Amino acid sequence: MAELPNYDTTNPADMDYPEHERTYALFLSMFKWGTIGTVAILVGMTVGLMMGGGFLGGILSFVVLLAIAYFVA
């Protein structure tokens, strides 16, 4: 059976808002760069494997795309 809580339900705990905002900003940054990295890998694989660019063409397109994303994002 459910019991009464053994903590104070009338006064909630204080939130650490600066830490919350830093964590959320880090999450957004990791999500953004994870998405950019995934897209760059897929473009590099497409250029290298499907478009006849070879290994060096795939690596070059990957690096160029990451550099462009760094300056745009």
Side-chain angles (χ1 to χ4, degrees), residues 14-67:
D14 293 331
M15 292 289 294
D16 187 7
Y17 287 107
E19 184 64 30
H20 176 75
E21 291 172 359
R22 281 193 301 269
T23 302
Y24 185 66
L26 177 65
F27 170 77
L28 287 180
S29 177
M30 290 175 63
F31 183 79
K32 175 178 68 173
W33 284 107
T35 303
I36 289 170
T38 302
V39 169
I41 287 172
L42 289 174
V43 168
M45 289 171 58
T46 301
V47 169
L49 298 173
M50 307 272 300
M51 301 177 110
F55 181 74
L56 292 179
I59 294 292
L60 181 65
S61 65
F62 172 75
V63 170
V64 167
L65 191 60
L66 280 183

Side-chain angles (χ1 to χ4, degrees), residues 3-13:
E3 297 178 6
L4 293 175
N6 58 0
Y7 53 87
D8 186 15
T9 58
T10 58
N11 295 324

